[in-house]
Amino acid sequence: MSTDHRVLGRLLDAAERCGCAHLVLVDPDRTTPERSAELARECAMAGTDGILFGSSTPLERDPAPVLRAIRSRYEGPLVLFPGSSGQVRPDVDAVLFLSLLSGRDPRFLIDEQVAAAPRVLASGVEPIATAYLLVGSDEGGSVARVTGTRPLPVAPASVVVSHAQAAACLGFSLVYLEAGSGAAMPVPASLVREVAAATPIPLVVGGGIRRPEEAAALAAAGARFVVTGTIHEVGSAVGPFTEAVHLPVPALP
Ligand code: 1GP
């Protein structure tokens, strides 16, 4: 049995073409099907590079109507971003196959993955091996609460750098620097710059981004993917964020 990497390839192509790609996170417990359809339409219009779908907390509602609403309006990659093995489902294009390397709890390092792998491989959904690093100066929000782990400190940068480098050595496809959904502050751009410079695999950065300028700063610092979620749940348009994340093509001399 083998898995191909079509979705990852498509996402990386987008990041290459645009300098940095923009992903929008839809939490099916916090977004109605109607709002999801509207968000998906905005993503299609804006040229957003992918939609992430999932929740760090156990799902309270059937997510299928939200998923269908997204599919009805958006043809780009739809990637599961699961909080646990229980969220794995066959009707997505790929799954961020996460291991919480910032923590030391075997459940989130490997146990959930062992539980999920048979269903992922049987479904044909593409797994994207992603090292998940909770990073920040606050408490880490719902990810910290659910996993019982603490975020890695933002300083000294060497702590996050060495975790990202371990992810590269272990063969992960992506490193996700997560400040936590709705975090008071995004991951600092200065830290993203140091991690990007020292790590040979692409960085995904998300959590607490509220302004297009913050998204642009993270892209300029070396993020290959920038994720926004909560800000759109409260009504902010997607377009300005996608536009900010897509780095300007350098002018010909
Ligand atoms: C959370 O990184 C994502 O896992 C997005 O965070 O909801 O704060 O935008 P926000």
Side-chain angles (χ1 to χ4, degrees), residues 10 19 41 69 91 107-108 112 119 140 161 181 186 189 192 209 241:
R10 186 169 170 188
R41 191 186 64 83
D91 49 357
R107 177 175 166 204
F108 298 101
E112 290 288 333
R119 273 181 297 133
V161 166
S181 190
V192 170
I209 300 167
F241 286 85

Side-chain angles (χ1 to χ4, degrees), residues 25 30 81 132 176 178 180-183 206-209 227-231:
L25 172 63
R30 299 200 311 207
F81 182 31
Y132 197 43
Y176 194 135
E178 171 69 272
S181 190
I209 300 167
V227 182
T228 53
T230 305
I231 195 69

Side-chain angles (χ1 to χ4, degrees), residues 14-215:
E16 184 69 31
R17 201 172 51 249
C18 303
C20 180
H22 181 216
L23 307 175
V24 164
L25 172 63
V26 175
D27 181 330
D29 270 349
R30 299 200 311 207
T31 318
T32 62
E34 294 71 28
R35 177 65 187 142
S36 306
E38 175 58 26
L39 268 176
R41 191 186 64 83
E42 285 185 42
C43 289
M45 304 260 293
T48 307
D49 303 289
I51 292 181
L52 300 182
F53 178 84
S55 174
S56 53
T57 51
L59 293 181
E60 290 169 5
R61 295 201 297 246
D62 176 10
V66 170
L67 198 56
R68 279 197 299 274
I70 296 170
R71 285 282 198 208
S72 71
R73 301 292 177 90
Y74 183 75
E75 291 182 348
L78 180 50
V79 179
L80 189 67
F81 182 31
S84 69
S85 55
Q87 289 183 30
V88 169
R89 52 187 306 125
D91 49 357
V92 290
D93 300 319
V95 52
L96 291 186
F97 204 80
L98 303 164
S99 181
L100 184 67
L101 293 197
S102 55
R104 296 295 181 269
D105 184 337
R107 177 175 166 204
F108 298 101
L109 283 165
I110 187 62
D111 288 351
E112 290 288 333
Q113 296 75 3
V114 169
R119 273 181 297 133
V120 169
L121 294 181
S123 69
V125 168
E126 176 183 328
I128 301 177
T130 303
Y132 197 43
L133 304 184
L134 188 57
V135 174
S137 39
D138 65 10
E139 293 302 311
S142 57
V143 176
R145 223 174 22 255
V146 169
T147 62
T149 64
R150 292 187 60 77
L152 297 175
V154 297
S158 57
V159 177
V160 178
V161 166
S162 55
H163 279 72
Q165 290 178 326
C169 293
L170 284 164
F172 284 89
S173 296
L174 303 173
V175 175
Y176 194 135
L177 303 185
E178 171 69 272
S181 190
M185 302 275 290
V187 177
S190 55
L191 177 62
V192 170
R193 189 170 293 107
E194 290 204 45
V195 179
T199 309
I201 55 175
L203 299 188
V204 184
V205 182
I209 300 167
R210 290 180 176 76
R211 294 183 297 121
E213 296 77 14
E214 291 170 333

